[in-house]
Amino acid sequence: MFTGIVQTQAVVVDATNQGGVLRLALKVEQQYAENLNIGASIAINGCCLTVVKFASTTEGDCVINFDVIDETLKLTNLGMLVVNDTVNFERSVTFGTELGGHIVSGHIHCMAEILSINHHQDNCKMQLALAKEWQKYVLYKGFVSVNGASLTVGEVDEQGFWLHLIPETLSITNLNNYREGDKLNIEVDQQTYTIINTVENYLSQAGHIKRAN
């Protein structure tokens, strides 16, 4: 489980696809790898990955290795990574962690394409296109995880939704590195997802019973 508060950006030092598995190696400052263990969960661009190996470097950083399977590659932008790209990095929640964002599982639902980016002096407005089947879970002023960052939904339209990004978000996350046409990982708010699906299932069953009678 994660909070959607990105801790730092990690740098891709290797991204090799071997037999449908992406061997991903990321470099972070040592402070973000303290008390790390094999098998630990880390959100990379919002996707929960398992640590398979890690080692300190002579420069005082830490290189962490992950294996990304084909199903994850289909749903996320991790398969598009190349050496020197940066990714959003968040360690899993521990007891006593301040929950500054919202509860994030690290299970990506889909990707959204950037339609437009409008930079202003103190903020950035970004328009994202979302597949129709996921639009009902994204509500005005609701939560959404974008590349692992917990963000508030701005305007909602027939194509998807808008984000309003402050300088702090742009400096901590990698969202400022993306351009029109690029794709971002999306995890919709789990509470919204559960409520809408529960209501739809109930109405569907009620309608079926009514027709049967």
Side-chain angles (χ1 to χ4, degrees):
M1 187 174 72
F2 306 92
T3 68
I5 302 301
V6 175
Q7 295 168 321
T8 189
Q9 295 181 50
V11 178
V12 178
V13 295
D14 188 40
T16 304
N17 200 308
Q18 298 179 348
V21 177
L22 177 67
R23 311 290 182 181
L24 185 62
L26 305 175
K27 182 175 67 175
V28 292
E29 295 179 21
Q30 187 64 46
Q31 61 176 311
Y32 298 106
E34 294 299 325
N35 302 314
L36 187 63
N37 294 302
I38 301 296
S41 296
I42 300 178
I44 303 301
N45 275 0
C47 181
C48 180
L49 299 181
T50 301
V51 176
V52 297
K53 184 173 66 174
F54 64 94
S56 297
T57 69
T58 55
E59 292 81 16
D61 297 314
C62 183
V63 173
I64 307 175
N65 295 78
F66 307 89
D67 288 341
V68 188
I69 60 175
D70 56 353
E71 181 65 18
T72 302
L73 295 175
K74 292 176 186 177
L75 293 174
T76 73
N77 58 19
L78 297 183
M80 306 171 192
L81 294 173
V82 297
V83 173
N84 292 325
D85 278 348
T86 61
V87 294
N88 291 337
F89 181 101
E90 183 193 352
R91 297 278 299 271
S92 58
V93 171
T94 58
F95 183 76
T97 299
E98 179 180 353
L99 187 60
H102 72 284
I103 298 299
V104 177
S105 70
H107 298 154
I108 302 300
H109 292 110
C110 62
M111 287 184 284
E113 181 181 344
I114 301 175
L115 294 181
S116 66
I117 303 174
N118 300 317
H119 286 280
H120 301 281
Q121 183 174 359
D122 57 353
N123 68 83
C124 172
K125 189 175 181 180
M126 184 180 291
Q127 183 185 20
L128 301 181
L130 199 61
K132 289 291 184 183
E133 62 265 30
W134 294 105
Q135 290 181 11
K136 61 185 175 182
Y137 303 113
V138 178
L139 308 176
Y140 176 62
K141 295 300 183 183
F143 289 120
V144 65
S145 171
V146 180
N147 261 21
S150 173
L151 299 172
T152 302
V153 177
E155 300 90 338
V156 176
D157 57 32
E158 67 278 0
Q159 293 178 294
F161 63 100
W162 292 78
L163 295 173
H164 298 270
L165 306 172
I166 62 173
E168 181 69 11
T169 300
L170 295 174
S171 66
I172 293 177
T173 73
N174 65 358
L175 295 179
N176 205 31
N177 300 335
Y178 286 82
R179 299 294 179 263
E180 294 178 5
D182 289 340
K183 294 184 177 181
L184 301 172
N185 293 337
I186 301 295
E187 180 185 337
V188 300
D189 177 52
Q190 193 61 43
Q191 281 190 314
T192 303
Y193 179 85
T194 301
I195 292 170
I196 289 178
N197 283 352
T198 300
V199 171
E200 285 186 344
N201 289 337
Y202 173 79
L203 293 176
S204 177
Q205 292 174 8
H208 177 74
I209 293 173
K210 186 176 180 178
R211 288 192 298 272
N213 292 334

